[in-house]
Amino acid sequence: MSALFEPITLRTLTIPNRIWLSPMCMYSAAAEGPETGVATDFHLAHLGARAAGGAGLVMVEATGVRPDARISPWDLGLWNDQQQDALARIAALIRSHGSVPAIQLAHAGRKASTAKASSGGGPLAAEDGGFPVVGASPIPFSDGYPAPAELTETQIAELVEDFASAARRALAAGFQVVEVHGAHGYLIHQFLSPLTNHRTDGYGGDFAGRSRLAREIATAVRAVWPADLPVLFRVSATDWVPEQPSWTVEESVLLAKELQAIGIDLIDVSSGGLVPDAKITVGPGYQVPFASQIREQAGVAVSTVGMISEPAQAEAVLTEGRADVVMLGRELLRDPYWPLHAAKTLGAERNWPVQYGYAVGARG
């Protein structure tokens, strides 16, 4: 049996294999009017194809817990019934293909209100649909970006409830896994790192203060999520800024231990995204060592992601005990049937969807 195709059980949920679709923003929701933040037929086709292609878990992109939480006006949201109903259709389709539907809940903080990536990104003017941004401290992301308004403690309490409310809606929509996005320079990460958190209240200062928001959101989401279903947390293991006081893999280990005690079932390990000038050493599997260190030192299940493209490479990550799950992003954009091709390569053949059997010499 290939390690990639061994099921994994988190709480009472068994996920059929360890090839999972990483959440990636598609910038394809309606940006204006009553359908703002609502998933479209594109999302249905896009995510359904990855489920049909054999991914064990299919995770919906970063989904804003409130209107001003989105990275861009074209991103998904989950604060009203219309958004919930559209996502329910997607969750049902994913399950119909034997995959597990998951969703990532997010707040972009100072990196919110930007243009589409395909349009070059960057801050979006109010006349183009932009909106005010908030953050841990009033420090802009980069030159030309607005300084975020520093969140008050009252606003923080409201934001924690926004995450809980979105998690309730995700459950009602049929998702079996929810992930809190605490990485890539978005709001929770902005609180975690001393580069972006200069607060002097109970949400700043030392590790305990800077990690308080992450713990409060994790606690609130875990409290409304069924005890038999898993909650995940994505973390950037490092800011890649070793020359300054910043978020490090050692602090990620400490956070992982605390999240596990709260009831988080798997740490989704990525890195970077906080500052635009980080010096990142990129190469095949470049983030696997971070996942491995967190797994070993925190004693928690982890996933890894980043430039994993070959079946043998992914298989080795698991057989060597460096991670429990492999998240694929760009590779599954290029080939939604990567898991089925990988199964054949690794001698763990899986049936293709019966509708496509003529093309592959099997009818399912």
Side-chain angles (χ1 to χ4, degrees):
M1 169 68 74
S2 159
L4 274 177
F5 292 92
E6 290 182 4
I8 180 171
T9 299
L10 300 175
R11 301 212 172 217
T12 64
L13 179 67
T14 298
I15 302 163
N17 64 53
R18 300 175 188 233
I19 304 168
W20 297 2
L21 174 69
S22 188
M24 293 172 285
C25 290
M26 295 289 104
Y27 303 100
S28 295
E32 299 176 344
E35 294 188 349
T36 184
V38 174
T40 65
D41 286 348
F42 169 82
H43 296 95
L44 185 75
H46 164 65
L47 296 164
R50 276 72 200 168
L57 178 145
V58 172
M59 188 174 293
V60 176
E61 65 193 70
T63 301
V65 299
R66 51 185 290 148
D68 62 356
R70 292 172 294 165
I71 300 166
S72 85
W74 297 272
D75 289 324
L76 297 180
L78 189 49
W79 64 81
N80 65 36
D81 290 346
Q82 191 173 2
Q83 295 161 347
Q84 179 180 313
D85 291 345
L87 287 167
R89 187 178 175 216
I90 290 171
L93 178 61
I94 292 169
R95 290 189 73 170
S96 76
H97 286 294
S99 296
V100 169
I103 188 167
Q104 185 186 67
L105 303 180
H107 192 305
R110 70 176 188 169
K111 292 177 74 175
S113 187
T114 63
K116 294 181 181 182
S118 59
S119 301
L124 199 62
E127 58 268 25
D128 296 322
F131 43 84
V133 298
V134 298
S137 299
I139 305 169
F141 174 64
S142 184
D143 293 341
Y145 281 74
E150 182 172 301
L151 285 164
T152 67
E153 292 196 23
T154 298
Q155 290 173 318
I156 290 171
E158 293 171 352
L159 188 148
V160 171
E161 177 52 36
D162 289 333
F163 271 88
S165 177
R168 292 188 193 97
R169 287 188 174 277
L171 181 65
F175 289 95
Q176 296 174 287
V177 175
V178 65
E179 176 171 277
V180 175
H181 196 351
H184 298 165
Y186 299 123
L187 185 67
I188 296 174
H189 188 182
Q190 291 162 32
F191 272 80
L192 290 171
S193 176
L195 289 173
T196 45
N197 185 342
H198 294 180
R199 302 175 71 99
T200 57
D201 62 5
Y203 289 92
D206 60 8
F207 169 82
R210 288 182 283 109
S211 65
R212 180 178 170 185
L213 178 63
R215 289 182 281 110
E216 288 183 348
I217 290 174
T219 299
V221 170
R222 181 71 268 176
V224 302
W225 202 249
D228 59 342
L229 293 177
V231 177
L232 317 183
F233 192 102
R234 175 165 270 195
V235 63
S236 277
T238 175
D239 290 335
W240 293 96
V241 188
E243 66 276 9
Q244 299 180 49
S246 59
W247 185 253
T248 65
V249 66
E250 289 76 21
E251 286 189 313
S252 293
V253 169
L254 294 177
L255 179 62
K257 290 178 179 179
E258 297 200 353
L259 293 174
Q260 185 181 38
I262 288 168
I264 299 303
D265 301 285
L266 181 143
I267 305 298
D268 180 5
V269 183
S270 188
S271 70
L274 185 73
V275 293
D277 55 352
K279 305 296 189 295
I280 301 177
T281 304
V282 176
Y286 70 104
Q287 296 177 140
V288 173
F290 302 135
S292 180
Q293 184 173 344
I294 292 170
R295 184 178 191 265
E296 178 180 350
Q297 296 181 6
V300 62
V302 302
S303 63
T304 188
V305 67
M307 296 191 71
I308 297 172
S309 59
E310 298 297 329
Q313 175 195 15
E315 179 83 357
V317 168
L318 301 185
T319 58
E320 293 168 4
R322 306 179 78 190
D324 300 276
V325 168
V326 172
M327 287 271 200
L328 295 184
R330 289 180 175 87
E331 199 60 33
L332 278 174
L333 292 183
R334 288 187 282 264
D335 179 8
Y337 301 100
W338 191 96
L340 295 174
H341 294 307
K344 184 175 183 179
T345 298
L346 297 170
E349 292 197 37
R350 291 295 187 270
N351 290 335
W352 280 68
V354 64
Q355 296 91 338
Y356 302 152
Y358 295 109
V360 295
R363 291 297 304 274

